[in-house]
Amino acid sequence: MEQETGKQSMEGLIGQETAPPVAAPTEEVAEKKKFKVAVAVDDSEGSHYALSWAIDRIILSRRDDSQLVVLYAQHAVDNFVYPVAGHVSAVYTPTSVFESMKKANEENSKHIIARAVDICKSKGVNATTAIVEGEPKDALCDAVEQLHADLLVVGSRGLGMLKRAFLGSVSDYVAHHAKCPVLIVKPPK
């Protein structure tokens, strides 16, 4: 008799699907993820044009669900001077010279970021800023990965093919190596 009861209860379940239990929404799920746009700036007019372009065409059109991060990659200050023609080895700089070079580099970085923040303020946009240290092409790729940026916007200096081959191009490098989509903004003609 117990077998029949068990069989009946099993037959009653065949063909029925039960929904998995639903967890209560957490704050993280309830809050929509913002579209994070990182814009790389330097002291060139092309990068400031790219920042303005990104604000006008991306940030302002997505004001409610976007976040702007302004990035500046400053070169690391070495505590030695590379050899000059006729000298065989590198020469270490005195601490005072190293500190002076480091301070000048930091002041330059602050000036570049301040100019970018002024552009943002003039357009009524709040931005987070970050100064990263290292070779710009590598530092920018690392920064967007750490920030979990959804888009990296960079300006273009408009180098021709020959100059780009000899000088290299930060925009070309990040377009191929960044872990997020890259938008290269060409300067107006």
Side-chain angles (χ1 to χ4, degrees), residues 86-97:
H87 296 281
V88 178
S89 62
V91 178
Y92 286 93
T93 59
T95 304
S96 61
V97 173

Side-chain angles (χ1 to χ4, degrees), residues 19-178:
V22 179
T26 62
E27 288 181 32
E28 294 170 9
V29 174
E31 185 179 320
K32 188 176 178 185
K33 182 182 180 267
K34 293 194 175 226
F35 186 76
K36 192 178 289 187
V37 179
V39 180
V41 296
D42 57 19
D43 60 349
S44 71
E45 290 302 316
S47 75
H48 295 118
Y49 176 76
L51 175 60
S52 292
W53 191 95
I55 291 170
D56 293 341
R57 291 178 177 80
I58 301 170
I59 301 300
L60 291 177
S61 68
R62 298 183 65 143
R63 186 178 287 277
D64 294 335
D65 73 339
S66 64
Q67 177 184 359
L68 176 62
V69 179
V70 177
L71 290 173
Y72 173 64
Q74 74 179 11
H75 289 277
V77 178
D78 293 329
N79 62 347
F80 57 92
V81 179
Y82 294 98
V84 183
H87 296 281
V88 178
S89 62
V91 178
Y92 286 93
T93 59
T95 304
S96 61
V97 173
F98 175 73
E99 291 301 320
S100 176
M101 289 170 42
K102 189 173 178 179
K103 185 177 180 180
N105 203 14
E106 289 171 359
E107 290 298 318
N108 185 50
S109 298
K110 288 178 186 176
H111 174 73
I112 290 168
I113 286 291
R115 185 168 176 206
V117 168
D118 288 344
I119 292 170
C120 295
K121 284 181 181 177
S122 72
K123 295 181 177 285
V125 172
N126 291 325
T128 305
T129 61
I131 297 173
V132 292
E133 191 171 84
E135 182 63 33
K137 60 186 182 180
D138 296 318
L140 291 173
C141 288
D142 292 342
V144 296
E145 187 171 0
Q146 290 174 1
L147 289 168
H148 302 288
D150 296 300
L151 177 67
L152 173 61
V153 178
V154 294
S156 173
R157 291 185 292 170
L159 298 177
M161 286 179 65
L162 188 59
K163 284 184 183 178
R164 182 174 293 146
F166 285 107
L167 299 176
S169 167
V170 172
S171 59
D172 187 55
Y173 183 89
V174 298
H176 290 92
H177 295 91

